[in-house]
């Protein structure tokens, strides 16, 4: 089993900030991409941001651009999501996602792993 563990959620007032962390281990040389998703109450899972593990390229959902920043500590195998100017609509469970790419017999196989989620609550 590949551990993917989120932390850093909590309660914050609107306009405040939180930093989420996602720690992983085991076969980290196979990591291709890590990302954050969220699931708001009664809604489907939604993409927030992703980072290419080796190159560090990032991509964001439009609704977080300018407010959230994804980063990673390559040596510590940890990904972060710095969330600034939080809004009540950002309230959700935030999930860490890891995609591995493994080359075997000239074919690339992908393996997906998810964390258990961390709750973010934003009061108005």
């Amino acid at each position: 089993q590949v551990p993917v563990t989120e932390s850093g959620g909590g309660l914050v007032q609107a306009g405040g900030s939180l930093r989420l962390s996602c720690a992983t281990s085991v076969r980290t040389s196979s990591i291709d991409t890590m990302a954050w998703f969220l699931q708001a109450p009664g809604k489907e899972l939604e993409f927030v941001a992703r980072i290419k593990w080796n190159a560090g390229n990032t991509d964001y959902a439009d609704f977080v651009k300018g407010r959230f920043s994804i980063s990673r500590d390559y040596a510590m195998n940890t990904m972060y999501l710095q969330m600034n100017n939080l809004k009540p609509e950002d309230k959700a469970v935030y999930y860490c996602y890891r995609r591995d790419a493994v080359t075997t017999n000239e074919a690339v196989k992908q393996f997906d792993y998810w964390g258990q989620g961390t709750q973010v609550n934003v009061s108005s």
Side-chain angles (χ1 to χ4, degrees), residues 36 38 46-50 59-70 81-84 86-87 90 94:
W36 291 97
L38 65 82
E46 189 171 12
F47 167 74
V48 177
R50 62 174 156 246
D59 188 23
Y60 296 90
D62 286 344
F63 69 93
V64 302
K65 284 181 180 177
R67 299 189 300 127
F68 291 10
S69 178
I70 190 171
L81 185 68
Q82 178 65 42
M83 306 187 293
N84 297 327
L86 281 159
K87 304 175 181 180
D90 294 321
Y94 285 71

Side-chain angles (χ1 to χ4, degrees), residues 89-100:
E89 52 264 41
D90 294 321
K91 172 183 176 178
V93 178
Y94 285 71
Y95 294 93
C96 178
Y97 163 82
R98 166 179 158 173
R99 168 161 285 184
D100 288 4

Side-chain angles (χ1 to χ4, degrees), residues 18-86:
L18 279 176
R19 188 175 83 153
L20 305 183
S21 300
C22 174
T24 190
S25 60
V26 180
R27 298 194 299 273
T28 56
S29 61
S30 297
I31 300 174
D32 176 77
T33 300
M34 291 190 70
W36 291 97
F37 288 77
L38 65 82
Q39 188 165 29
K43 296 189 177 181
E44 296 187 351
L45 199 64
E46 189 171 12
F47 167 74
V48 177
R50 62 174 156 246
I51 186 165
K52 296 292 281 186
W53 194 248
N54 289 328
N57 303 65
T58 60
D59 188 23
Y60 296 90
D62 286 344
F63 69 93
V64 302
K65 284 181 180 177
R67 299 189 300 127
F68 291 10
S69 178
I70 190 171
S71 63
R72 53 93 166 99
D73 184 325
Y74 193 86
M76 296 298 293
N77 298 314
T78 302
M79 175 179 67
Y80 303 97
L81 185 68
Q82 178 65 42
M83 306 187 293
N84 297 327
N85 191 22
L86 281 159

